[in-house]
Amino acid sequence: MFNPVFKRSVILFIALVSFIVCTAQIKTIDQRVDSVLKLMTLEEKAGQMNQYNGPWAATGPLTNDNNLLSQIKDGKVGSMLNVTGVARTKELQQLAMQSRLKIPLLFGQDVIHGYRTIFPIPLGEAASWDIPAMEQSARIAATEAAAVGVHWTFAPMVDIARDPRWGRVMEGAGEDPYLGSLIATARVKGFQGKGFGNTDGLMACAKHFAAYGAAVGGRDYNSVDMSLRQLHEVYLPPFKAAAEAGAATFMNSFNDLNGIPATGNKYLQRDILKGEWKFKGFVVSDWGSVGEMINHGFSKDNYEAAMQAVNAGSDMDMESRSYIKHLAALVKEGKVKMNVIDDAVRRILKKKFEMGLFDDPYKYSNEEREKAQWNNAEHIKVARDISRKSIVLLKNEKQLLPLSKQTKKIALIGPFAKAKADNNGFWSYDWPDDTARISSLWEGVQRKLSAASEIVYAKGCNINDSSTAGFTEAVAVAKEADIVIISVGEARDMSGEAKSRSNIHLPGVQEKLIKAVMNAGKPVVVLISAGRPLIFNWTADNAPAILYTWWLGTEAGNAIADVLFGDYNPSGKLPMTFPRTEGQIPIYYNHYNTGRPAKNDSDLHYVSAFTDLPNSPKFPFGYGLSYTKFDYSNIRLSKAQFKPGEKIEAMVTVHNNGNYDGEEVVQLYIRDITGSVVRPVKELKGFQKITLKKGETKEVRFTISVNDLRFYNDKLQYIYEPGQFKLFIGGSSNDVKEVNFQLTK
Ligand code: NOJ
């Protein structure tokens, strides 16, 4: 319609105007930040760097303080955590509006896997390998929390974890840096939505910086000692991804890293995060972690701790009260430079401006929006969908699953069969009305069956005690039924912060219950709800069908029932390796080969192996079955050699060779055969979640460039090296087809 030159000029003009408007906007915020900063006393600056827990809830050790609220009026508090609901956020914001400069408070909260609508725990969601779905669940969590006045979530947790004894594995994306980075990006985008200042988004916080997941022995808060190469290669990538995705904030961690507590660690916070990665947001400490540097033996007292933390780049002090007590004196005594304080305050004020709080401090606290979040049908629908995508089918002998909806009598047995709150898992808040609307397994199964079917129930035992008193009833109930479903697992507080366990077998007498019930001779389906990979070898070897259901949240029962009765064909794949015993831990698929690798599980002759158990895990990373069967064939490359600057394509044919339509996560791994530093036996470098109808065949293609071959050398340079590589494609890290290629100079 228009002539192309005119059209191009219009586009250019619009681009120029938007650029000018954007630049003006950035300038305005920076100028506004500076104009506020100029008015501030040193004490008020320290106030902005101080965060207190709200007086109503706590997620860490409490400090008794009755003058907390009056400190807000005095401009001594910049942020609060655990302040929940429109009424409370407004109440405290009103106090801040009585302070001399009326700088609004930022409200932060652990919105980890949902707020009112609870989604699967992050590790469970990671098993879906469905990146857009994870972004959407974070989006909904943010919408719900932002409506009640929360501005900032302490999520995503992007710590890589190779040790299931560590209770916080439930909160992350598992063991793999590549998958972890994609998920970190999705969650940051989901939480932050269309950008700061929209009332349906939160500021994200990538935590815990850094290497918290590598605590020695899996014991929470423990020390971490690792090579910088491993830090960069395995533990930092998801953080870098979060920074690149625009995460507003970072939280440092409780652990020391190679002898320096993360909170006082300049290398992490100044050199890497704010230096190399050019991170422009602010860093908050973890709860009390500034003061805890005294216990670490790194700081003499709180005065020194405040000095070390702020100089190292920790901008805000969560609940240590070290900054508010000592920063002003530290500056006056020349121990901390004024520009260090100004930089921290600028970063914090900038976020408050970007969130629009200087224009309207009550912007996010809205009764109407708050009401709309309760029992929001759309959110619940999304929760059900991602919950069923998170379930992993570990075993399905003789196609026992899916069950027929015409089954006459089903026995539901086990402490999770009627459980409600335990489905939510750790890091979910107890809202008075919300527990009732969690769908239990019992309810989910009932909704699938017609009046012609009957469900019988016996609890059998509790989650974690030694009583077998309920076994007789459970066995009797099993005997009457055509199919038995046993639902067991961990109680909601058995994995999470400060929930490390040295024994990660199915707790209590639950596995004994499974044995007793299986003796009744009926077909048995076992469901395991937990926050971490558990050990259940007898069940794994003897039960015909097993579904790993994590803690799925509000829609747990409905989602499990969808899978049990075939309304959804399971597609989840494990984001963490499941060990055979605790003695194998740490266990992860991307390990080095060693100089004496075992050829197989029975090879014990002076090789790197245990003499009393195989090297292989019980269930490997990337593993998960479907009701249908996917055959992989014809793996091939567009060429067998390529040069830097070029690309090659890897292709595989996947055929749905079973009786159901289904989804499959096609995984691509690479091994660098020889390097200037040793390389893992396999590293995930790509995956695609595809849908194949029954009988359908698809060709799946991946493009490889030198960027997929990079690694950190001994000088910490991120390089690639010419040489031989193996490329693997398959449906699990241990079930792949392979082909070789070469990178030439
Ligand atoms: C301590 C936890 O380590 C951290 O993840 C959490 O955000 C804070 N407490 C606040 O609850």
Side-chain angles (χ1 to χ4, degrees):
M1 216 159 60
F2 297 111
N3 98 36
V5 177
F6 175 73
K7 211 166 144 189
R8 207 172 321 128
S9 320
V10 171
I11 294 171
L12 272 175
F13 178 73
I14 294 172
L16 189 68
V17 170
S18 341
F19 176 74
I20 293 168
V21 170
C22 287
T23 330
Q25 177 74 16
I26 291 165
K27 240 180 156 174
T28 313
I29 286 189
D30 282 340
Q31 284 170 344
R32 288 175 82 186
V33 167
D34 278 338
S35 65
V36 176
L37 198 69
K38 273 193 204 122
L39 301 174
M40 293 173 80
T41 62
L42 178 54
E43 286 70 19
E44 283 165 335
K45 289 178 185 175
Q48 284 307 300
M49 297 166 69
N50 181 33
Q51 184 187 55
Y52 285 153
N53 181 58
W56 301 283
T59 50
L62 277 175
T63 317
N64 287 329
D65 196 341
N66 6 355
N67 74 356
L68 189 151
L69 300 186
S70 66
Q71 289 187 48
I72 300 177
K73 275 203 249 177
D74 295 341
K76 290 186 171 158
V77 187
S79 172
M80 302 283 298
L81 74 147
N82 293 332
V83 178
T84 303
V86 166
R88 286 170 177 175
T89 48
K90 274 192 174 164
E91 195 183 315
L92 297 198
Q93 200 64 292
Q94 273 156 5
L95 294 178
M97 288 306 109
Q98 293 169 40
S99 65
R100 190 178 77 89
L101 293 175
K102 302 187 179 8
I103 301 178
L105 288 169
L106 261 184
F107 295 112
Q109 181 126 6
D110 294 287
V111 181
I112 308 291
H113 54 114
Y115 192 62
R116 301 301 301 257
T117 309
I118 302 301
F119 292 90
I121 54 165
L123 184 64
E125 276 193 357
S128 74
W129 296 52
D130 189 328
I131 304 295
M134 285 181 254
E135 180 170 337
Q136 198 186 9
S137 96
R139 190 83 286 285
I140 290 174
T143 309
E144 293 189 354
V148 309
V150 175
H151 309 128
W152 176 21
T153 174
F154 303 128
M157 186 192 99
V158 302
D159 294 307
I160 293 296
R162 293 170 157 183
D163 191 332
R165 292 171 300 181
W166 188 50
R168 297 197 81 168
V169 300
M170 52 94 24
E171 212 181 324
E175 75 189 39
D176 185 67
Y178 175 82
L179 180 61
S181 300
L182 293 182
I183 294 177
T185 304
R187 288 187 170 143
V188 168
K189 283 191 183 159
F191 285 128
Q192 296 190 165
K194 291 188 277 322
F196 305 127
N198 289 301
T199 50
D200 64 353
L202 298 173
M203 302 195 318
C205 180
K207 69 187 189 184
H208 306 83
F209 198 60
Y212 181 44
V216 173
R219 206 183 68 202
D220 207 3
Y221 315 125
N222 208 354
S223 294
V224 175
D225 208 321
M226 69 164 62
S227 74
L228 289 183
R229 212 165 60 71
Q230 183 171 93
L231 177 75
H232 281 267
E233 194 160 295
V234 179
Y235 289 85
L236 292 187
F239 285 102
K240 188 155 190 267
E244 282 167 3
T249 67
F250 266 52
M251 184 186 290
N252 55 39
S253 53
F254 289 122
N255 56 288
D256 71 272
L257 175 67
N258 302 336
I260 316 279
T263 307
N265 199 311
K266 254 190 193 143
Y267 174 68
L268 285 175
Q269 300 174 103
R270 291 233 182 263
D271 299 353
I272 297 179
L273 180 62
K274 293 178 178 174
E276 214 179 292
W277 298 353
K278 302 187 172 45
F279 172 70
K280 296 287 178 271
F282 69 87
V283 180
V284 63
S285 80
D286 204 344
W287 183 301
S289 68
V290 176
E292 286 171 19
M293 294 201 294
I294 303 169
N295 288 342
H296 277 288
F298 186 70
S299 317
K300 210 169 50 240
D301 49 26
N302 261 304
Y303 176 87
E304 195 174 79
M307 176 188 81
Q308 290 167 316
V310 78
N311 283 337
S314 293
D315 302 307
M316 187 182 276
D317 170 7
M318 180 193 288
E319 267 293 331
S320 276
R321 300 168 187 230
S322 308
Y323 282 13
I324 196 63
K325 285 195 192 121
H326 302 295
L327 282 186
L330 281 163
V331 173
K332 284 174 196 150
E333 283 149 27
K335 301 276 174 26
V336 173
K337 295 212 169 70
M338 195 59 170
N339 64 3
V340 168
I341 302 289
D342 283 348
D343 175 59
V345 177
R346 253 195 207 102
R347 287 169 183 267
I348 295 165
L349 293 180
K350 188 163 182 181
K351 289 294 164 245
K352 293 187 177 184
F353 271 110
E354 285 173 353
M355 290 296 283
L357 295 174
F358 276 95
D359 301 322
D360 177 2
Y362 307 104
K363 181 171 174 178
Y364 294 80
S365 310
N366 178 300
E367 271 96 7
E368 283 311 301
R369 284 203 304 270
E370 181 175 45
K371 275 193 209 121
Q373 306 315 323
W374 191 84
N375 228 358
N376 181 310
E378 187 50 36
H379 297 179
I380 288 174
K381 204 168 126 209
V382 176
R384 181 169 181 162
D385 188 49
I386 186 142
S387 295
R388 52 198 208 170
K389 285 177 172 161
S390 304
I391 296 171
V392 184
L393 178 64
L394 295 179
K395 202 174 168 190
N396 193 21
E397 269 174 13
K398 296 193 196 127
Q399 302 257 312
L400 176 57
L401 288 172
L403 303 177
S404 158
K405 290 181 187 164
Q406 268 67 52
T407 310
K408 287 226 169 56
K409 207 172 206 180
I410 296 188
L412 276 190
I413 294 175
F416 261 87
K418 285 195 174 176
K420 291 249 176 196
D422 279 322
N423 289 307
N424 272 1
F426 206 86
W427 289 126
S428 42
Y429 293 88
D430 288 311
W431 298 93
D433 306 324
D434 285 7
T435 311
R437 72 192 175 98
I438 299 170
S439 75
S440 67
L441 176 68
W442 168 265
E443 290 159 341
V445 170
Q446 225 171 19
R447 287 182 192 126
K448 292 286 175 199
L449 301 171
S450 72
S453 302
E454 193 189 340
I455 312 179
V456 285
Y457 163 79
K459 188 173 180 192
C461 65
N462 289 323
I463 291 175
N464 194 18
D465 67 27
S466 55
S467 171
T468 55
F471 280 23
T472 318
E473 188 199 3
V475 172
V477 159
K479 280 187 179 152
E480 307 172 24
D482 303 306
I483 295 278
V484 180
I485 300 170
I486 311 185
S487 186
V488 294
E490 284 188 308
R492 63 184 297 188
D493 60 355
M494 293 182 81
S495 284
E497 185 181 347
K499 302 291 180 260
S500 294
R501 289 172 61 207
S502 65
N503 172 349
I504 58 166
H505 282 64
L506 253 181
V509 292
Q510 296 182 99
E511 196 155 39
K512 280 194 187 146
L513 174 71
I514 298 171
K515 278 187 203 171
V517 169
M518 281 193 55
N519 277 338
K522 295 297 171 84
V524 170
V525 179
V526 176
L527 308 177
I528 301 176
S529 296
R532 53 152 69 89
L534 289 176
I535 296 167
F536 43 92
N537 292 326
W538 189 90
T539 304
D541 295 341
N542 294 284
I546 305 172
L547 287 166
Y548 213 75
T549 60
W550 316 102
W551 288 322
L552 293 176
T554 309
E555 281 298 281
N558 289 331
I560 297 171
D562 282 345
V563 170
L564 283 172
F565 293 95
D567 290 333
Y568 183 77
N569 183 356
S571 61
K573 301 275 186 180
L574 298 176
M576 260 189 103
T577 305
F578 277 45
R580 293 172 187 273
T581 76
E582 291 85 358
Q584 286 184 313
I585 299 170
I587 183 166
Y588 44 95
Y589 82 95
N590 47 354
H591 56 82
Y592 297 139
N593 201 35
T594 81
R596 292 190 177 192
K599 284 192 214 66
N600 51 48
D601 276 350
S602 31
D603 182 11
L604 292 180
H605 198 67
Y606 291 94
V607 292
S608 177
F610 298 106
T611 54
D612 57 352
L613 92 153
N615 273 0
S616 67
K618 194 70 192 168
F619 298 105
F621 175 83
Y623 172 83
L625 304 173
S626 162
Y627 293 154
T628 194
K629 194 170 163 295
F630 296 106
D631 289 342
Y632 286 73
S633 62
N634 201 15
I635 182 170
R636 60 209 183 279
L637 298 169
S638 53
K639 48 186 174 181
Q641 285 192 343
F642 78 118
K643 287 202 213 70
E646 294 177 353
K647 291 190 167 148
I648 48 168
E649 295 218 39
M651 289 142 293
V652 75
T653 306
V654 187
H655 173 60
N656 180 343
N657 192 16
N659 294 322
Y660 301 86
D661 300 347
E663 291 160 86
E664 168 72 335
V665 180
V666 181
Q667 302 158 39
L668 174 121
Y669 299 86
I670 291 182
R671 175 172 180 184
D672 187 343
I673 307 289
T674 315
S676 59
V677 293
V678 295
R679 308 300 308 134
V681 293
K682 240 173 229 155
E683 289 178 284
L684 184 72
K685 293 291 179 179
F687 65 88
Q688 288 177 37
K689 191 160 186 174
I690 59 165
T691 305
L692 282 185
K693 295 217 167 307
K694 176 178 156 183
E696 194 183 349
T697 302
K698 263 188 193 161
E699 184 182 75
V700 180
R701 284 172 175 261
F702 297 92
T703 306
I704 318 286
S705 77
V706 285
N707 288 334
D708 301 301
L709 311 180
R710 287 182 188 273
F711 60 93
Y712 288 92
N713 68 7
D714 61 343
K715 297 184 184 63
L716 294 186
Q717 294 156 327
Y718 195 49
I719 55 145
Y720 55 82
E721 287 173 348
Q724 299 291 337
F725 295 82
K726 272 190 191 302
L727 183 145
F728 314 86
I729 305 181
S732 163
S733 65
N734 77 336
D735 184 13
V736 287
K737 307 273 176 216
E738 66 175 78
V739 67
N740 297 320
F741 70 88
Q742 189 187 3
L743 177 69
T744 58
K745 285 196 182 140

